[in-house]
Each structure stands twice: as structure tokens, then as C-alpha cells.
Amino acid sequence: MGLSKQRLDWVDMAKGLSIFLVVIMYCASSVGEDTGQTGFLHWTIAFAMPFRMPEFFLISGLFLSQVIDRPWRAYADRRVVHYLYFYVLWAIIHIIFKVALVGRDPGGALSFLAWAVIEPYGVLWFIYMLAVFGLVSKLVHQAKLPHWLVLGVGAVLQMASVHTGSYLVDQFCAYFVYFYAGYVFAPAIFRLADWAGQNVGAALGVLAAWAVVNAVLVFTPGFRLDPVHIQMGWGALPGIHLLAAIAGAIAICIASALLVKLPWMNWLRWMGGKSLVVYVAFVLPMGIARTILLALGIEEPNLVSLIIMTIAIGSPLILWWLTETTGFGKFLFERPAWAHLPGTGKPTTPNSQAIPAE
């Protein structure tokens, strides 16, 4: 089974876990901000703090080696333009709805749109950064910089906890090392996933040990949980944070290799294959559902979080199904022909490019 020909089930499973954690985080924090209360989802997100986003970026880099040697135009179409298309489209949708319509501030919407060009907007920052990481990776590849040097610089930037005031710069420094590590260590990660699938008992033991260590790093002195912000304990220390993030990302890969053996978990693998669909479209239904529930006087944080989480995940998938069924609005999740660079062709499906496989 060639990686360039067929995506691996455990990768989709890992993406399913990742997008699930992302939605949980936004649901918990938004409910906490509106109600001033915390619920069990806050504790779930606290445990996942070291690895929640690093794992997403590491998985995104796994297939980079399949395209990194392509000519610039073909590479840019798959790894830069692809993500920028969805970023621009959904940034416009979010800003028009939230600022121009709900906020009744058309002038402010124009300002947000202008800033969104140079500063990643809202939850869409992840897609923006994937385009940036893809571009930078190609540049360092062409410059023939050794992997150890790029990883070393990336690790130093992550440990430096850079805060420049520029969201673009700060997020690049915080997460590029994980994306590039996914690219460099992809063969080892795939071998590890194969090992986990063939040695279930040992893999479960590794996961149990990791879970204990991760919990200690998160919930040690210095840990603080409030309705909006979570502060880790020892896991927040420079160096330890980096190692905990990588260990957590690898643990998610191992867990995913085990979960694919369970037929009743196919729904999560399927959802992982639609991760881009969920990611770009979950915020608006989540916000609408939360507003309605709170207006109805439903403020119990666990109940509200569970309801809006279900709606936030289900609504984008329903919308995707409607676009596929009717053929109307497919541009929301599938890049049209005009949005490809000349001479690069049109990929077969949008969802296979949430993390491009070739």
C-alpha cells in the first residue's frame, strides 16, 4: 500500500481525534466565558493541553515527503493555494456573519477582512499556518538545509515562548517544529503505528504509562483551571512542554492505530476524513446554538457544552452532505477549477486534502 496512492485508516482516525479535541476546546471555553462556570470538558481539554494542536500539525506533515520534490507550481497548488482558498473563503463568511450582520458593523467587517490577510483570523488560524508551514518547508528544502538544523531552530523557537504581538509570528514559532517533525520522522511514525497494530498489549501499556506522565505534567503545582483559560503545571516549562507535546502526538498515533481495529469506531475515522469540513464550519453553528440555549435559560455547563459540541460537529457534516447531494454550494468544501494554479489540474476530492496524501 503506497502512501502516495492510499491514505491510511489510522491517519484519518488521528485526525478525527484531533478535530474532536479542537471542537471540545472551543465549546468548553465559549461556554465558560458566557456562564463563568467550568465543566468536565474543561478537564478533558486540560489533559490534552500539551498535545492538542501539536498533534494536528505533526499529522499534517506526515505526507509532505510525497510532494516536497514537486515543481514549485504543483507544490504550491497542493500545499499553499489549497489552504489559502479555504482560509479566505471561510474568513469572509465568518467576518460577514459575525461582524457585519450580527455585530451590525460593516465598517468593522472591512477592517477585519483587511487584517485577516496578514494576521490569521479566529479559529481559521490553523489553515492559514498550514499554508505558511508548507511554503517555509519548501524553501528550506530547496536551500538544502539539514533536517537537524531546521528542527533545532524550530525547537529553540518553541521553547523561547515568543510573544511579538504578531499572531502569525508567534504561532509560527510555537508550532512549526511539530509540522516539520511530522515530515522528517514520518517513516518512523508509520513504523510505530504498524508496531502498535501488531502488538496491542504492549501498545496499551505504553499508552497507560504515557497517560500517567502526561497527567502529572499537566496537573502538578502551577496548574490552574478557570472558565476560559487553562494553565498547565510542570508541563508548561520550556523543554518539558516540547517533549510532552511530541510524546502526546505520538501517543495519539498509537491510540489511533489501535482504534482502527474497532469497527464501532469507524464513525471517528470517517469524521477524520472530513476534518477540514468540520474545522472551517463548526464555529458558526456552535455560537448560534450556545446563544439560543443560554437565552432559554439553560446554563448548566456540562449540558450546554455537550449539546453545542454535537451541533458544532454535526452541522458542518450535514452541510457537506447537502452540497454533495444537491451539487449546490460545493465550492464551500471543494476547491473549484478556477482556484487552482494554471496547469496543476484538479484534485479528486476536497476531503482527502485536509492532510494531502500525495
Side-chain angles (χ1 to χ4, degrees):
M1 180 187 302
L3 294 182
S4 62
K5 299 297 182 184
Q6 185 171 345
R7 301 162 71 221
L8 303 180
D9 285 347
W10 74 262
V11 175
D12 277 343
M13 188 69 77
K15 287 162 50 186
L17 288 171
S18 298
I19 195 64
F20 209 74
L21 290 173
V22 168
V23 175
I24 288 176
M25 189 276 291
Y26 280 98
C27 288
S29 62
S30 63
V31 170
E33 183 175 11
D34 286 344
T35 67
Q37 304 177 70
T38 60
F40 74 89
L41 289 184
H42 282 81
W43 292 94
T44 302
I45 290 303
F47 178 82
M49 277 285 288
F51 59 88
R52 177 178 49 83
M53 290 311 298
E55 189 271 339
F56 223 149
F57 282 113
L58 183 139
I59 290 292
S60 299
L62 285 181
F63 294 107
L64 187 63
S65 62
Q66 305 298 305
V67 297
I68 195 72
D69 286 317
R70 290 184 179 181
W72 258 107
R73 181 178 298 183
Y75 178 86
D77 184 74
R78 289 298 301 275
R79 281 290 184 167
V80 181
V81 176
H82 174 73
Y83 292 116
L84 290 181
Y85 168 78
F86 290 109
Y87 171 77
V88 171
L89 172 65
W90 283 93
I92 292 172
I93 293 172
H94 285 200
I95 291 171
I96 289 178
F97 182 84
K98 293 169 65 176
V99 182
L101 298 180
V102 176
R104 298 180 181 180
D105 185 7
L110 291 176
S111 176
F112 273 97
L113 288 170
W115 275 108
V117 176
I118 57 175
E119 288 291 331
Y121 175 78
V123 68
L124 300 173
W125 71 272
F126 171 77
I127 301 174
Y128 187 109
M129 295 311 300
L130 282 179
V132 173
F133 290 167
L135 177 61
V136 172
S137 296
K138 180 67 170 178
L139 290 173
V140 299
H141 177 74
Q142 283 213 317
K144 301 186 184 304
L145 298 181
H147 290 330
W148 64 265
L149 176 61
V150 180
L151 286 172
V153 172
V156 169
L157 290 175
Q158 193 282 329
M159 291 186 288
S161 298
V162 176
H163 297 287
T164 64
S166 166
Y167 200 56
L168 169 60
V169 173
D170 295 350
Q171 296 299 78
F172 179 89
C173 294
Y175 292 108
F176 177 71
V177 65
Y178 306 115
F179 177 84
Y180 202 78
Y183 160 49
V184 173
F185 297 116
I189 293 171
F190 284 119
R191 287 195 298 270
L192 181 62
D194 289 340
W195 171 86
Q198 297 167 9
N199 299 271
V200 175
L204 288 173
V206 170
L207 288 177
W210 161 79
V212 171
V213 173
N214 186 78
V216 169
L217 293 178
V218 170
F219 300 117
T220 40
F223 171 75
R224 188 179 79 254
L225 180 73
D226 64 38
V228 178
H229 181 71
I230 299 173
Q231 175 63 43
M232 292 188 292
W234 296 342
L237 297 175
I240 295 179
H241 187 182
L242 175 62
L243 293 175
I246 293 175
I250 292 174
I252 290 294
C253 294
I254 293 175
S256 299
L258 298 180
L259 287 174
V260 295
K261 293 179 170 293
L262 305 175
W264 55 273
M265 289 301 294
N266 277 340
W267 65 272
L268 185 60
R269 179 187 57 78
W270 181 85
M271 189 178 76
K274 309 289 183 295
S275 60
L276 182 61
V277 170
V278 176
Y279 195 92
V280 297
F282 81 88
V283 171
L284 296 182
M286 179 190 74
I288 294 170
R290 185 182 70 251
T291 301
I292 293 174
L293 289 174
L294 296 177
L296 293 174
I298 303 174
E299 297 185 355
E300 202 287 314
N302 292 317
L303 178 61
V304 174
S305 295
L306 283 175
I307 293 175
I308 67 172
M309 179 183 68
T310 302
I311 294 173
I313 291 176
S315 297
L317 296 174
I318 292 173
L319 178 59
W320 168 82
W321 176 79
L322 289 173
T323 63
E324 290 293 303
T325 302
T326 65
F328 178 76
K330 293 185 73 171
F331 68 94
L332 293 172
F333 306 114
E334 180 175 353
R335 193 160 45 123
W338 61 262
H340 289 268
L341 294 179
T344 58
K346 181 179 178 181
T348 54
T349 66
N351 305 314
S352 65
Q353 294 186 69
I355 296 175
E358 58 182 14

